[in-house]
Amino acid sequence: MIATDIPSLPRGVRLHFDKVRDTWVLLAPERAITLDQIGHAILTEVDGHRSFGEITQTLSEKYNAPVEQIAQDSNGFLTALRDRRFLDVTA
């Protein structure tokens, strides 16, 4: 994923707080992924309008971490979601 890519959740995919499990999950038709704190932090910044570069910059400032490390970790996570069709990316 490059800095100008714009990630978004496809139709039917949404973040949901599972009260039973007391955790955030990413729901899709007939599928779900339990999110850790990092995954949830990344996905809360995905709005379908901001670029990957803008998202990683925001996370870097929010968590006082190097933008390069945030970009590397976020790229791996978002690419895995895209590969499993939980995420769309437009160039």
Side-chain angles (χ1 to χ4, degrees):
M1 187 169 301
I2 60 173
T4 57
D5 286 346
I6 299 174
S8 63
L9 296 179
R11 183 178 174 166
V13 177
R14 64 186 174 94
L15 279 174
H16 173 76
F17 186 76
D18 185 331
K19 294 176 187 174
V20 173
R21 295 181 186 137
D22 192 35
T23 191
W24 284 95
V25 294
L26 187 60
L27 294 177
E30 301 183 21
R31 301 178 291 162
I33 295 177
T34 302
L35 299 171
D36 61 12
Q37 289 179 328
I38 296 170
H40 179 254
I42 294 168
L43 286 176
T44 57
E45 299 298 329
V46 173
D47 61 8
H49 301 287
R50 292 184 297 153
S51 70
F52 178 69
E54 292 169 322
I55 291 168
T56 55
Q57 184 63 42
T58 299
L59 289 168
S60 173
E61 293 167 4
K62 189 174 188 177
Y63 294 102
N64 194 27
V67 71
E68 298 82 14
Q69 185 64 49
I70 295 285
Q72 181 180 357
D73 294 344
S74 297
N75 183 42
F77 175 69
L78 294 175
T79 298
L81 289 180
R82 182 178 58 193
D83 291 346
R84 295 176 68 187
R85 297 188 180 159
F86 279 91
L87 187 78
D88 286 337
V89 178
T90 55

